[in-house]
């Protein structure tokens, strides 16, 4: 078995390649600073990192916490040039490491200041691991900022993407702006040459870029070679652009009993599909936009419903007022009618009084008539009869209609003329 010596400049240097322990072994035996990883990650890391293991790799890890993973990377990569950790927590700045290849930059990885500090020593990295906040915005921003600084042939790993489904991490299932939505969209970027619509790679990330106020380096996107998803992990491999094209068609063999067409295609490039409309449809973002429109319409609807309720309340109030006014009007009408009736009665009585006076007094002057009304017992029997005949006044009927006068010793006609008329007394029962 071939063994290769490792340079003796670091703790792992005493081992030979065939003796190298797996990451899981190193992790299990680790006694230093604390690190925690999910069990399924070890196999993934072993497969993905194997080809880098003994190279002079430059490693960047966003998210240091206790610094355990930095120590493990140092052990796992005996020839690593540098292992740079970045953490927003100032306490990480106090951490010291026995391995001088490890350094820590304190700062928010999503800022230009921190980016400058991170890049100042090495310019670019071969392995970048994002084990930071796991919030969708941070994960996406970190990729936009650091993927351009990944070396050709390098790999970018985003850990703990299960957070992409949790609201506390700006996640949601099938949400258009989550870290998972972003990495899934990068799969389309890998197939950019087949879009047939002339859009830039970054166009398909426009909604996400706008959302997080970032931009994606079009050139860097053309270096995305492959995207690999595992439970909670996404690995993006960067390669030179010529490695990221479909290439020419290769045809092998000579016997084509079923279809001979492929024989003619050897060495040709894929032809563009004809009749493909130039159209970018971003369904999740559309759904979000439609949901927003729906929300606005619902708010408008609620506003209109409030206005309608207010108008109905006003209508009810007006109806109640109208009813009050109608009752008042009915009462006034009744009162008016009663007044008219009493006026009519009064007019009729006045007319009767006048006629009585004419019968009793004959054709006297007005002054004479008035004077003549006053004395008692001056009416002749003949005139009294005339009054009865004309049904203007009947003494008996007067007493019947006004029984309180029966024994009062008054002359009925004189009583009527002097006070009964003004008192409104009836002249007969049918009056
Ligand atoms: C899961 S821990 C890292 C664990 C570490 N990689 C390990 O395996 O031992 C996440 C760390 O990311 C840090 N962090 C959160 N947001 C950050 C940001 N915007 N920039 C840099 N570090 C951040 C937190 O302070 C925390 O220490």
């Amino acid at each position: 078995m071939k063994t290769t010596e490792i340079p003796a400049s670091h703790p792992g240097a005493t081992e030979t390649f065939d003796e190298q322990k797996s990451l899981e072994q190193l992790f299990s035996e680790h006694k230093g600073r604390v690190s925690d990883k999910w069990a399924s990650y070890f196999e993934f890391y072993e497969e993905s990192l194997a080809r880098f293991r003994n190279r002079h790799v430059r490693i960047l890890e966003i998210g240091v916490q206790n610094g355990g993973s930095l120590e493990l990377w140092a052990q796992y990569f005996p020839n690593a040039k540098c292992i740079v950790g970045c953490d927003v927590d100032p306490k990480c700045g106090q951490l010291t490491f026995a391995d001088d290849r490890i350094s820590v930059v304190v700062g928010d990885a999503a800022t230009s200041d921190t980016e400058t500090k991170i890049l100042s020593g090495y310019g670019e990295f071969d392995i970048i691991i994002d084990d930071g906040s796991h919030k969708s915005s941070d994960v996406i921003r970190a990729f936009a900022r650091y993927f351009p600084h990944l070396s050709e042939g390098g790999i970018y790993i985003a850990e703990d993407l299960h957070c992409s489904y949790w609201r506390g991490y700006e996640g949601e299932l099938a949400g258009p702006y989550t870290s998972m939505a972003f990495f899934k969209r990068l799969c389309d970027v890998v197939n950019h040459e087949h879009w047939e619509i002339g859009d830039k790679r970054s166009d398909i990330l426009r909604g996400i870029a706008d959302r997080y106020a970032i931009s994606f380096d079009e050139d860097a996107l053309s270096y995305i070679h492959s995207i690999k998803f595992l439970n909670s992990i996404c690995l993006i491999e960067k390669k030179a652009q010529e490695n990221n094209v479909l290439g020419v068609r290769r045809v092998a063999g000579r016997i084509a009993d079923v279809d001979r067409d492929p024989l003619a295609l050897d060495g040709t490039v894929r032809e563009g599909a004809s009749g493909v409309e130039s159209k970018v449809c971003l369904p999740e973002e559309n759904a979000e936009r439609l949901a927003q429109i729906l929300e606005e319409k619902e708010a408008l609807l609620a506003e209109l419903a409030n206005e309608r309720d207010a108008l109905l309340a006003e209508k009810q109030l007006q109806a109640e007022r109208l009813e009050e006014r109608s009752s008042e009007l009915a009462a006034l009408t009744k009162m008016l009618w009663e007044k008219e009736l009493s006026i009519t009665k009064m007019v009729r009585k006045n007319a009767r009084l006048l006629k009585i006076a004419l019968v009793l007094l004959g054709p006297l002057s007005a002054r004479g008539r008035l004077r003549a009304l006053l004395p008692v017992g001056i009416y002749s029997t003949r005139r009294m009869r005339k009054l009865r005949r004309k049904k203007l006044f009947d003494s008996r009927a007067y007493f019947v209609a006004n029984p309180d006068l029966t024994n009062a010793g008054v002359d009925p006609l004189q009583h009527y003329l002097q006070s009964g008329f003004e008192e409104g007394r009836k002249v007969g029962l049918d009056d």
Side-chain angles (χ1 to χ4, degrees):
M1 187 179 288
K2 182 174 178 274
T3 56
T4 311
E5 284 300 323
I6 300 167
S9 58
H10 50 79
T14 52
E15 297 167 6
T16 53
F17 283 6
D18 60 340
E19 290 168 346
Q20 280 179 317
K21 292 175 180 169
S22 68
L23 184 64
E24 191 167 8
Q25 269 177 299
L26 293 174
F27 189 88
S28 306
E29 293 168 10
H30 184 65
K31 299 273 187 293
R33 296 195 175 283
V34 167
S35 171
D36 74 307
K37 295 278 173 212
W38 299 101
S40 60
Y41 290 3
F42 295 112
E43 191 184 336
F44 156 76
Y45 270 126
E46 207 63 57
E47 280 174 17
S48 315
L49 303 178
R51 66 190 160 100
F52 296 95
R53 183 138 194 199
N54 295 301
R55 286 170 31 192
H56 300 286
V57 285
R58 295 153 295 182
I59 302 169
L60 166 64
E61 182 168 30
I62 299 168
V64 172
Q65 204 177 50
N66 294 301
S69 55
L70 298 181
E71 287 185 341
L72 280 159
W73 298 136
Q75 283 182 269
Y76 187 77
F77 295 101
N79 293 327
K81 247 197 218 163
C82 68
I83 297 141
V84 178
C86 165
D87 203 296
V88 74
D89 188 339
K91 281 187 275 180
C92 293
Q94 311 300 315
L95 299 178
T96 55
F97 297 89
D99 194 317
D100 60 6
R101 294 172 300 159
I102 301 174
S103 62
V104 172
V105 172
V106 173
D108 179 352
T111 63
S112 300
D113 268 5
T114 309
E115 180 188 352
T116 308
K117 283 186 212 160
I118 289 174
L119 299 175
S120 62
Y122 302 93
E124 57 177 24
F125 295 90
D126 307 297
I127 299 169
I128 299 178
I129 299 165
D130 181 357
D131 189 19
S133 76
H134 307 309
K135 282 191 205 154
S136 288
S137 62
D138 280 344
V139 173
I140 297 168
R141 285 195 179 113
F143 183 88
R145 194 175 279 278
Y146 298 104
F147 184 75
H149 305 297
L150 187 69
S151 63
E152 271 180 40
I155 55 173
Y156 189 103
I157 295 167
E159 271 191 17
D160 291 1
L161 290 175
H162 42 259
C163 298
S164 178
Y165 303 101
W166 301 340
R167 284 209 181 275
Y169 292 81
E170 302 165 354
E172 67 183 311
L173 179 62
Y177 305 113
T178 65
S179 50
M180 276 303 290
F182 169 69
F183 289 122
K184 283 192 267 180
R185 213 155 276 169
L186 289 188
C187 299
D188 293 322
V189 170
V190 171
N191 288 318
H192 173 254
E193 73 172 292
H194 311 297
W195 290 3
E196 303 289 349
I197 53 176
D199 282 303
K200 291 187 294 182
R201 290 171 176 82
S202 53
D203 284 347
I204 204 165
L205 305 172
R206 202 170 42 224
I208 293 173
D210 290 348
R211 173 74 163 219
Y212 297 123
I214 50 177
S215 59
F216 293 96
D217 182 333
E218 183 66 22
D219 189 51
L221 291 176
S222 70
Y223 283 81
I224 295 179
H225 176 71
S226 68
I227 320 252
K228 184 174 179 178
F229 286 102
L230 282 89
N231 191 329
S232 301
I233 281 193
C234 181
L235 180 149
I236 301 100
E237 195 179 5
K238 188 169 184 176
K239 279 195 181 177
Q241 287 154 325
E242 61 267 26
N243 300 298
N244 305 331
V245 292
L246 190 60
V248 296
R249 201 149 178 171
R250 300 281 308 277
V251 181
R254 301 228 183 291
I255 305 162
D257 290 342
V258 176
D259 187 349
R260 298 190 62 73
D261 285 354
L263 289 173
L265 296 174
D266 192 24
T268 61
V269 291
R270 187 188 64 78
E271 274 177 31
S274 56
V276 177
E277 291 293 321
S278 175
K279 185 166 179 273
V280 178
C281 175
L282 305 176
E284 296 108 327
E285 282 160 33
N286 284 348
E288 176 127 319
R289 199 171 50 80
L290 289 175
Q292 201 180 327
I293 292 172
L294 196 66
E295 214 170 283
E296 284 167 12
K297 296 274 180 233
E298 273 170 2
L300 188 66
L301 212 60
E303 212 174 288
L304 289 173
N306 282 346
E307 278 176 28
R308 183 206 53 200
D309 289 349
L311 285 172
L312 283 175
E314 177 65 23
K315 186 182 159 197
Q316 174 73 18
L317 194 70
Q318 294 301 347
E320 281 166 14
R321 279 190 192 147
L322 190 68
E323 208 171 297
E324 265 172 40
R325 292 275 176 275
S326 299
S327 318
E328 280 172 19
L329 193 67
L332 286 171
T333 308
K334 188 169 171 242
M335 208 189 294
L336 191 67
W337 181 79
E338 282 167 1
K339 288 277 179 237
E340 273 175 3
L341 195 67
S342 69
I343 287 169
T344 308
K345 277 185 184 170
M346 191 68 77
V347 168
R348 216 182 302 143
K349 277 180 186 167
N350 279 347
R352 182 199 291 262
L353 192 64
L354 192 65
K355 283 177 190 165
I356 291 172
L358 282 173
V359 170
L360 291 177
L361 305 172
L364 282 177
S365 69
R367 239 168 105 215
R369 279 179 205 157
L370 275 176
R371 224 182 11 228
L373 280 173
L374 297 176
V376 181
I378 61 161
Y379 315 120
S380 70
T381 317
R382 189 174 54 84
R383 288 192 174 177
M384 288 302 283
R385 268 205 307 271
K386 191 175 176 185
L387 280 181
R388 210 174 297 123
R389 203 173 55 243
K390 286 187 169 249
K391 294 196 170 131
L392 287 173
F393 191 83
D394 181 337
S395 297
R396 259 174 297 158
Y398 191 66
F399 278 135
V400 172
N402 302 283
D404 60 311
L405 301 177
T406 313
N407 298 315
V410 295
D411 175 82
L413 180 59
Q414 193 180 4
H415 180 271
Y416 179 67
L417 294 174
Q418 283 183 338
S419 60
F421 167 73
E422 278 186 47
E423 287 167 14
R425 286 180 182 264
K426 292 178 180 178
V427 174
L429 277 178
D430 55 347
D431 198 358

